[in-house]
Amino acid sequence: MKIRYFFFLLLLSFQSQAAPQNTTCKKCHPIIFQEYQHSMHRKASIYQDPVHKAVWDKHPAKKKGKYKCAKCHTPSDHALMEGKSKLTDNFIQENEPISCQLCHKIQSIEKHAASNKNIMSTKKKYFFSADKARKGEKISFHEQSTLFGLIKKPVGSPYHKIDYSNEIFYNGEVCMGCHSHKENAKGFTVCDMEVKQGNSKETCISCHMPKIQGSLANQKESKTHAFHGISIHNGTPKILSKYVKLSLTQTADGFTVTIKNEANHTLFPQPLRLNQLRVSIDRAGKTISLPAKNFVRVIGTGGKPAAPWLATEILKDTTIKAHETRTVTYQTPLKKGDRVLLDFGYYIANPKAAKKLHIQSPSATEFTVLTHKNIIVE
């Protein structure tokens, strides 16, 4: 009887653990799996993201054991999402808080004022994807014959069906369940990407998941695949640098630097981010560093900065909006032969806020250059 009871408890413990999903994908998509290991989706939980952890540690809901961020930060931990368990350090939280399957099962986006909601497909082994050459097709695994049946080749995946007809995977709306906007309990918008398509042909996917060299899958060789490793914590910002253009114009008493944002969203509108333009002049072997120009959105209440869950107003907003061109003026005359260095980048955590929150991770506290320009004055 005791042995049966032991195995019953053991079974329950296994069922309470979140079931890994990406290991299944790894078998056929090894290149994408390796890229994912460095992505923001892989590092979205408090056990991998030092900024998210620092903010959660201060949140009043932590004392009550009510984790409120799972919908977007750890949706693959199904036991947590369904209220069957509390936030715990398990395999899913550490390795795949937002799994490959999670995003590929988003059927539609339900829009709300507080925050949008991902509506998931309930079909088993049924995933959405985008391929302009096959748009509209729904592929089940089968063999395709050519030359009167002499040559046969497999089509589709033997492990799941692929639906290429879902428009949100082409227009980028698939990302808007989590990356659009967020209101706090007071009805104040703490973050809003303010996405504006305008005349741009770019989408979230074309910018953040561009086609790069390497095969999509093992079963069928392809020259390229969509990059799955985007992260503002590592070197991949270089992929996004082409969407921010820098230029310099001399004036009678100095010069101006023009920043052209070609992205379809505001640059770094999140509460803790700090966007910065750094300018220096190399002249006759000496470096002249000019004051940095900050672009930031500060939220608070009662005229003072406050945590996101307490904020009721915008105290300051100098962020650069979608498709905006911003000009910064410097009253420092340039000389022939000067080398002007322009660095446009960001802090994941504003240094002042990082200090208050005790964030020490270099990936969050060091300045990251998004785009750079080197200009010789003639």
Side-chain angles (χ1 to χ4, degrees):
M1 183 68 181
K2 290 183 178 180
I3 295 176
R4 288 182 179 179
Y5 184 69
F6 170 77
F7 280 106
F8 176 72
L9 291 178
L10 187 63
L11 178 61
L12 286 180
S13 69
F14 280 133
Q15 288 179 338
S16 66
Q17 296 296 315
Q21 298 178 341
N22 286 352
T23 49
T24 308
C25 309
K26 178 183 178 181
K27 298 174 184 177
C28 300
H29 306 279
I31 294 177
I32 290 176
F33 179 81
Q34 287 304 317
E35 291 172 353
Y36 170 86
Q37 301 310 305
H38 304 285
S39 70
M40 290 296 288
H41 283 183
R42 159 72 166 73
K43 301 176 181 180
S45 76
I46 64 168
Y47 304 103
Q48 292 290 339
D49 184 346
V51 176
H52 182 36
K53 182 182 185 305
V55 174
W56 173 242
D57 285 345
K58 296 287 185 180
H59 202 292
K62 183 181 179 182
K63 293 181 179 180
K64 301 177 183 178
K66 296 181 179 179
Y67 184 63
K68 296 178 175 292
C69 313
K71 181 172 77 79
C72 286
H73 279 268
T74 63
S76 293
D77 191 337
H78 300 301
L80 176 64
M81 288 287 290
E82 294 168 7
K84 296 178 181 178
S85 71
K86 299 289 185 180
L87 177 64
T88 55
D89 187 1
N90 58 37
F91 181 89
I92 295 295
Q93 293 285 336
E94 290 279 2
N95 296 280
E96 50 184 60
I98 307 171
S99 70
C100 302
Q101 294 186 35
L102 190 286
C103 289
H104 283 282
K105 288 186 74 67
I106 298 175
Q107 182 170 301
S108 61
I109 304 300
E110 195 174 273
K111 297 183 179 180
H112 298 277
S115 66
N116 293 341
K117 181 181 179 181
N118 293 322
I119 304 301
M120 314 302 294
S121 170
T122 57
K123 297 179 182 179
K124 293 183 178 180
K125 298 182 179 181
Y126 192 95
F127 301 128
F128 301 103
S129 191
D131 184 340
K132 291 182 179 179
R134 311 189 77 166
K135 188 173 182 180
E137 295 182 27
K138 298 179 182 180
I139 309 296
S140 296
F141 181 72
H142 64 280
E143 285 190 336
Q144 190 176 66
S145 300
T146 56
L147 290 177
F148 305 102
L150 295 176
I151 298 177
K152 295 183 178 181
K153 64 177 183 178
V155 176
S157 168
Y159 300 101
H160 58 79
K161 293 182 179 180
I162 310 170
D163 187 338
Y164 291 112
S165 67
N166 196 332
E167 184 61 29
I168 67 173
F169 281 76
Y170 294 89
N171 60 23
E173 190 177 342
V174 65
C175 306
M176 292 296 99
C178 289
H179 296 282
S180 175
H181 63 281
K182 177 72 171 70
E183 283 186 359
N184 61 17
K186 299 179 182 296
F188 172 74
T189 303
V190 297
C191 179
D192 191 343
M193 295 303 291
E194 299 179 284
V195 176
K196 295 180 180 178
Q197 189 66 34
N199 295 322
S200 174
K201 294 181 180 180
E202 302 289 357
T203 69
C204 306
I205 295 172
S206 65
C207 292
H208 292 266
M209 300 180 68
K211 294 288 185 180
I212 63 170
Q213 294 297 311
S215 184
L216 169 66
N218 287 338
Q219 297 98 326
K220 183 180 179 181
E221 288 293 320
S222 60
K223 293 183 179 179
T224 63
H225 67 280
F227 181 63
H228 283 63
I230 199 71
S231 171
I232 58 174
H233 288 276
N234 56 37
T236 54
K238 294 178 182 178
I239 293 176
L240 303 172
S241 63
K242 65 181 180 179
Y243 299 106
V244 178
K245 302 289 195 305
L246 302 177
S247 60
L248 182 148
T249 303
Q250 281 188 261
T251 61
D253 57 353
F255 62 97
T256 61
V257 174
T258 299
I259 306 162
K260 185 178 181 182
N261 177 21
E262 295 184 350
N264 295 340
H265 59 78
T266 299
L267 298 179
F268 311 104
Q270 298 88 343
L272 287 180
R273 302 287 188 266
L274 174 60
N275 185 198
Q276 198 171 76
L277 172 65
R278 294 182 174 185
V279 179
S280 63
I281 303 169
D282 285 348
R283 178 182 294 165
K286 295 183 179 181
T287 299
I288 305 169
S289 296
L290 302 182
K293 177 66 175 178
N294 294 333
F295 309 97
V296 66
R297 184 174 184 268
V298 181
I299 58 177
T301 188
K304 296 181 180 180
W309 53 89
L310 297 173
T312 57
E313 60 184 338
I314 299 173
L315 303 180
K316 181 181 181 181
D317 188 358
T318 57
T319 54
I320 302 175
K321 309 302 180 181
H323 310 298
E324 180 187 351
T325 298
R326 185 77 61 88
T327 299
V328 182
T329 300
Y330 295 88
Q331 294 182 333
T332 302
L334 297 175
K335 296 181 180 181
K336 185 177 181 179
D338 284 349
R339 183 189 298 271
V340 183
L341 306 175
L342 309 178
D343 283 325
F344 184 80
Y346 58 89
Y347 289 95
I348 291 176
N350 185 317
K352 291 182 180 179
K355 188 175 182 180
K356 289 183 178 180
L357 292 170
H358 307 292
I359 301 172
Q360 298 180 339
S361 172
S363 67
T365 58
E366 293 180 355
F367 181 72
T368 299
V369 176
L370 176 62
T371 189
H372 168 88
K373 194 156 189 178
N374 190 335
I375 301 167
I376 303 296
V377 179
E378 298 179 351

